[in-house]
Amino acid sequence: MSEERVIGVDLGGTKILAGLVARDGAIGRTIEIATPSGGQQEVLAAVDGVVADLHRDGAVAIGYGVPLNIDRRTGVGLKAVNLPLHNVHFPNRAREMYGLPAGVENDGNAAALAEWRLGVGRDVSNLIMLTLGTGVGGGVIIDDRLYRGWAELGHTVVVAGGQPCQGNCHGHGHVEAHASGHAANRVAAELYGRGADAPVLLAKAREGDQRAIDAVAEIGRILGAAIGSWVNIFDPDIVVVGGGFGAAAGDLLLEPARRSARAEALQPADETLQIVQAELGDEAGLIGAGLVAFEALDGLR
């Protein structure tokens, strides 16, 4: 790795992944721990702990990718859907504790930034990124710039009056409720009984179980309908699908999604639309958080 390294923190609903990141995306030492199930102070203490550990190795800035919508005027993380976090100013906390430049970005935006600069989208100017995990995160690149708004693509309504969303979201029929790992867990339990989850569903589908194949295809169909709508708004060069569930499902999910998206997309996107798997895998969020740290170091945040 180059001499100049930053700390990137990818805070998720089930795990915290933090590490030392170079400008070219190379990753040094990392720490991965389970996200605590307690309240806000417990989660923040866990984040502070991994940052303090990595800080001993030397770093010039700190970047956070967090599952909260960010107030762009103040930098405050407003509220998380799947974690007990609200009104947290991550950069201020880091500056006070370590005296280093620091930045924060929504985790979906951070992943989009990483895939655009260093991953599968590095040769395009317009990109949509989806992270399919427990929930659904999203980020958008428009004309070679990260869209800095909320970009909560996972909370787009795809089924009016559909399944209730999870966590602190009171909506119904969102992409997150119908096309996430959480949704796959629900479908697996309906088909195979209590205790069955998304990995069971995907394993059954790969074994040729038609019920599982159809169930994953239906998740893909709904995801594709949403993608088709986003394509009609943003006209991306590519749509990138990552996250733990997205990577695990692969073409079992993406082929039905492609068919569905092309059915909804306007011409000529109905023929030219590309939906591809993320290149950076589970490290996209960490690398993106590192890029956010470098932007803070360079005075861009």
Side-chain angles (χ1 to χ4, degrees):
M1 294 182 67
S2 64
E3 287 186 11
E4 199 170 50
R5 300 180 298 177
V6 298
I7 296 170
V9 182
D10 181 18
L11 172 59
T14 59
K15 72 176 183 180
I16 301 169
L17 177 61
L20 296 169
V21 183
R23 282 191 183 269
D24 62 0
I27 297 172
R29 186 166 72 93
T30 62
I31 301 172
E32 181 177 326
I33 62 173
T35 304
S37 57
Q40 174 159 307
Q41 292 309 311
E42 186 178 349
V43 174
L44 292 178
V47 171
D48 293 341
V50 297
V51 171
D53 190 331
L54 291 165
H55 184 252
R56 290 197 290 267
D57 293 356
V60 294
I62 303 170
Y64 299 87
V66 299
L68 294 86
N69 42 17
I70 309 296
D71 185 325
R72 297 298 170 183
R73 295 165 300 177
T74 65
V76 172
L78 299 175
K79 193 172 184 66
V81 171
N82 297 310
L83 284 175
L85 292 175
H86 67 282
N87 295 331
V88 182
H89 201 303
F90 285 91
N92 277 358
R93 296 181 82 256
R95 287 190 284 263
E96 290 169 3
M97 296 174 71
Y98 303 105
L100 295 177
V104 66
E105 190 56 78
N106 172 269
D107 56 352
N109 285 0
L113 187 65
E115 285 290 348
W116 170 55
R117 287 194 182 164
L118 300 171
V120 70
R122 54 188 170 272
D123 295 322
V124 307
S125 297
N126 300 281
L127 172 151
I128 293 173
M129 173 79 191
L130 300 171
T131 55
L132 308 184
T134 305
V136 176
V140 183
I141 304 296
I142 302 174
D143 295 336
D144 290 312
R145 296 184 66 180
L146 175 68
Y147 172 64
R148 297 284 300 278
W150 287 3
E152 291 285 358
L153 302 182
H155 295 280
T156 302
V157 176
V158 284
V159 181
Q163 292 286 337
C165 211
Q166 54 185 323
N168 294 317
C169 178
H170 53 70
H172 288 73
H174 295 180
V175 174
E176 185 163 300
H178 289 270
S180 62
H182 175 75
N185 289 340
R186 183 186 67 248
V187 172
E190 291 171 355
L191 290 177
Y192 303 109
R194 183 177 297 178
D197 56 9
V200 169
L201 182 69
L202 295 177
K204 292 282 189 183
R206 290 199 170 87
E207 291 167 2
D209 186 313
Q210 194 60 48
R211 293 189 300 166
I213 292 171
D214 291 345
V216 177
E218 176 62 10
I219 293 172
R221 184 190 70 79
I222 293 173
L223 177 66
I227 290 173
S229 296
W230 298 324
V231 166
N232 292 339
I233 299 169
F234 296 111
D235 184 28
D237 299 308
I238 59 172
V239 177
V240 183
V241 178
F245 176 65
D251 280 342
L252 285 170
L253 181 78
L254 295 189
E255 276 304 317
R258 292 182 182 109
R259 292 193 295 270
S260 179
R262 287 174 178 142
E264 305 300 338
L266 295 171
Q267 294 180 337
D270 56 345
E271 295 181 359
T272 61
L273 170 62
Q274 296 185 63
I275 302 176
V276 302
Q277 284 197 287
E279 186 176 293
L280 301 178
D282 287 344
E283 295 176 338
L286 171 60
I287 294 171
L291 294 175
V292 168
F294 278 113
E295 288 187 352
L297 178 66
D298 297 338
L300 301 177
R301 285 179 179 264

